[in-house]
Amino acid sequence: VAARQGMETPLKEVAEAFEELARGMDADAGELRLAPFGDTCALVSVLFSSLGMAFRFAEIEYVTKVNDLIGAGKSYRTLSDILDKDIENDSVKKQGSHSRNLRRVRLGLGLIKALFEQFLTTEGCSLYDAATTAYGQVCAPFHSWAIRKAVGAGMYTLPSREQLIVRLNETDCSVQKEMRRYIDASSPIIEYIDNLFLSRNISLDW
Ligand code: 1PZ
């Protein structure tokens, strides 16, 4: 109903927040401030409930990392600031460091982007196929065997395409539009985060 009446749906809210974040980055001469970044990433958790209970553990994992970055926003102004600090302390890849959590949250954003891309380009395919491909592309290379097995099992509990659209309070048409908006708005942000690491000679193979 919400989609038909042009009201805010969770997906639309997320898409708009990322558009706003991308605009803010342009306005700040290509700098990404930590506080609005954390708040925007936190919004994504509204999408988890539509995936079902099996992904509660992914939600907890993601939210913990986002909350760490939100907390860091009180002491650090930008994303570069946390990375530079961790380089100084030799803690970029250390478990629980802000930089490592940033890398993990970026994987989450990339996973959603890949899922939406799969969803849009494989209309006949199930959500299971779309999510399995997206996970395999973005996160699986960096996850342990045990995590990959658990995620693989959880995939079988995903709702159908149609169920997902209903749970998101969207229509066939509106869901495509909002997913496209998220893909477009999140791309420069994901690329920016990758470049933060790469420009400091930190590879992305972890
Ligand atoms: C978009 C949804 C697609 C279908 C569901 C795919 C579910 C992916 C589940 C990911 C489970 C992550 C489990 C924990 C992994 C941790 O080992 C790592 C490393 O953490 P560290 O060692 O640094 O403490 N954590 C991550 O890689 C964080 C990944 C976050 C994944 C977020 C998923 C976002 C999905 C959004 C759905 C709306």
Side-chain angles (χ1 to χ4, degrees):
V1 182
R4 266 180 276 136
Q5 293 173 343
M7 280 161 51
E8 286 291 322
T9 60
L11 190 54
K12 187 171 175 194
E13 243 176 277
V14 169
E16 280 172 353
F18 276 93
E19 285 174 353
E20 174 84 30
L21 188 65
R23 278 196 296 272
M25 190 167 80
D26 286 341
D28 278 341
E31 253 198 342
L32 198 46
R33 285 184 299 125
L34 191 50
F37 174 76
D39 292 342
T40 304
C41 292
L43 271 183
V44 168
S45 66
V46 302
L47 302 179
F48 279 102
S49 53
S50 56
L51 294 176
M53 278 305 290
F55 288 100
R56 273 288 292 165
F57 84 108
E59 175 178 10
I60 293 166
E61 169 69 20
Y62 176 82
V63 169
T64 303
K65 272 143 188 156
V66 170
N67 282 342
D68 172 68
L69 295 180
I70 290 175
K74 296 185 184 92
S75 329
Y76 301 91
R77 201 177 67 86
T78 65
L79 267 58
S80 339
D81 291 344
I82 60 173
L83 202 47
D84 289 334
K85 188 72 189 173
D86 277 324
I87 290 172
E88 216 181 289
N89 295 335
D90 200 17
S91 52
V92 172
K93 299 186 186 179
K94 201 172 147 212
Q95 187 152 24
S97 77
H98 299 317
S99 299
R100 176 156 166 156
N101 288 338
L102 174 62
R103 172 86 186 121
R104 300 300 173 225
V105 168
R106 177 262 177 252
L107 289 177
L109 300 181
L111 177 63
I112 298 162
K113 182 186 161 200
L115 176 75
F116 289 178
E117 283 169 344
Q118 284 299 316
F119 194 94
L120 294 180
T121 55
T122 58
E123 250 187 274
C125 286
S126 61
L127 184 62
Y128 173 90
D129 292 331
T132 300
T133 303
Y135 177 76
Q137 283 173 353
V138 178
C139 288
F142 311 110
H143 282 168
S144 67
W145 180 86
I147 296 280
R148 293 200 306 273
K149 281 287 157 201
V151 170
M155 291 293 185
Y156 290 104
T157 70
L158 283 172
S160 68
R161 256 182 120 88
E162 294 71 26
Q163 271 174 319
L164 179 69
I165 293 171
V166 171
R167 287 188 197 175
L168 288 173
N169 217 347
E170 300 288 345
T171 63
D172 247 337
C173 179
S174 69
V175 80
Q176 294 193 27
K177 179 177 155 209
E178 303 306 336
M179 283 184 176
R180 170 56 51 199
R181 285 176 76 183
Y182 171 85
I183 293 168
D184 292 343
S186 67
S187 292
I189 291 162
I190 290 171
E191 202 177 310
Y192 175 85
I193 298 171
D194 284 351
N195 270 320
L196 283 180
F197 289 95
L198 293 172
S199 64
R200 289 165 177 79
N201 278 324
I202 302 163
S203 63
L204 300 176
D205 54 356
W206 53 291

